[in-house]
């Protein structure tokens, strides 16, 4: 059974993945160009674009849940979920910043500061491998 922290990481990753897909799609529809050539090649077909985001989201969730489980055995695995969430959050804040017209001070904050509550007290989680 997954621990509560793993479920929270999974939900956060899912939300950021959905927001990344939506903000990327809206941005491209408004005329922005996609910097990632792999994602840009999938923009011609909405099913392919959102399907690939869904596939990458499932793979990311599997890594998050597996590393959350494995953190019981080694503290190193506990660092993967926050890292994966950060990797998903950065494009979301970048897209939102661009869509806001570069005028919003809140959106210009580094995503790491906004993700800090997710990683707070992660040392307690990693130092007690037998608790679930």
């Amino acid at each position: 059974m997954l621990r509560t922290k793993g479920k929270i990481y999974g939900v956060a990753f899912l939300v950021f993945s959905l927001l990344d897909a939506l903000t990327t799609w809206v941005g491209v529809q408004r005329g922005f160009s996609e910097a990632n050539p792999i994602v840009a090649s999938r923009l011609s077909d909405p099913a392919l674009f959102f399907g690939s985001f869904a596939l990458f989201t499932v793979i990311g969730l599997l890594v998050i849940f597996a590393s959350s489980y494995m953190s019981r055995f080694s503290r190193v695995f506990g660092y993967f979920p926050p890292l994966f969430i950060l990797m998903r959050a950065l494009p979301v804040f970048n897209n939102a910043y661009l869509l806001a017209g570069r005028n919003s001070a809140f959106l210009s904050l580094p995503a790491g500061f906004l993700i800090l509550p997710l990683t707070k007290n992660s040392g307690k989680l990693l130092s007690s491998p037998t608790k679930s």
Side-chain angles (χ1 to χ4, degrees):
M1 182 107 178
L2 290 174
R3 293 189 277 178
T4 303
K5 195 86 160 180
K7 291 177 187 177
I8 292 170
Y9 287 139
V11 169
F13 184 82
L14 185 64
V15 167
F16 281 125
S17 185
L18 178 63
L19 288 173
D20 184 22
L22 292 175
T23 56
T24 299
W25 184 260
V26 169
V28 168
Q29 298 302 315
R30 289 189 179 177
F32 294 109
S33 62
E34 174 57 44
N36 184 341
I38 296 171
V39 175
S41 68
R42 296 183 176 116
L43 284 167
S44 60
D45 182 17
L48 182 61
F49 174 74
F50 288 107
S52 66
F53 260 88
L55 176 65
F56 293 135
T57 300
V58 168
I59 292 170
L61 286 172
L62 289 174
V63 169
I64 286 173
F65 293 146
S67 62
S68 179
Y69 176 77
M70 294 300 291
S71 69
R72 295 176 181 177
F73 308 109
S74 175
R75 295 172 20 162
V76 170
F77 290 105
Y79 295 105
F80 285 108
L83 179 65
F84 269 58
I85 293 169
L86 181 63
M87 288 188 332
R88 253 310 165 210
L90 288 173
V92 171
F93 288 103
N94 180 58
N95 292 344
Y97 179 73
L98 292 173
L99 289 171
R102 301 182 185 117
N103 293 330
S104 176
F106 172 74
L107 294 174
S108 66
L109 292 174
F113 290 117
L114 298 171
I115 300 208
L116 191 60
L118 291 173
T119 60
K120 184 179 178 187
N121 297 327
S122 63
K124 290 180 184 177
L125 171 72
L126 299 175
S127 64
S128 58
T130 57
K131 292 186 178 180
S132 40

